[in-house]
Amino acid sequence: MDDVLILVQLDPESLRGMEIMVGPEGMTRRKMVFDQDIEEDLRHDGFAETGPLEFNLYLKGLTGPGK
C-alpha cells in the first residue's frame, strides 16, 4: 500500500477517533474505538505524529490526490 496515506485522529482520553485512508481512488474514513495500546501500536507500525491541521485538510478534501 505504498500509494495510500493513512492518517489517524485519536482522543487520548476516550480512545475514540477516526482513520482516513487517502489513495489514488479517493478517500475513505471510518470512526474508530482504540485500545490502551494504540499509541505503542502506531509507533511500532511506523506512524509519525502530525498536527490536527494536516488531518483536517485531508478530512475536508482540501488536499490530497488531484489537489
Side-chain angles (χ1 to χ4, degrees), residues 18-21 27-31 58-61:
M18 182 178 293
E19 175 187 82
I20 298 175
M21 295 179 68
M27 177 183 69
T28 60
R29 58 184 166 199
R30 61 185 176 147
K31 292 183 179 182
Y58 281 99
L59 180 64
K60 300 297 182 186

Side-chain angles (χ1 to χ4, degrees), residues 8-18 32-40 42-43 49-50 52:
V8 177
Q9 176 190 55
L10 170 65
D11 177 344
E13 291 184 18
S14 68
L15 296 176
R16 294 179 181 274
M18 182 178 293
M32 309 281 291
V33 177
F34 302 101
D35 63 23
Q36 303 88 287
D37 299 323
I38 186 59
E39 291 183 41
E40 182 180 321
L42 292 171
R43 275 191 299 279
E49 189 171 336
T50 65

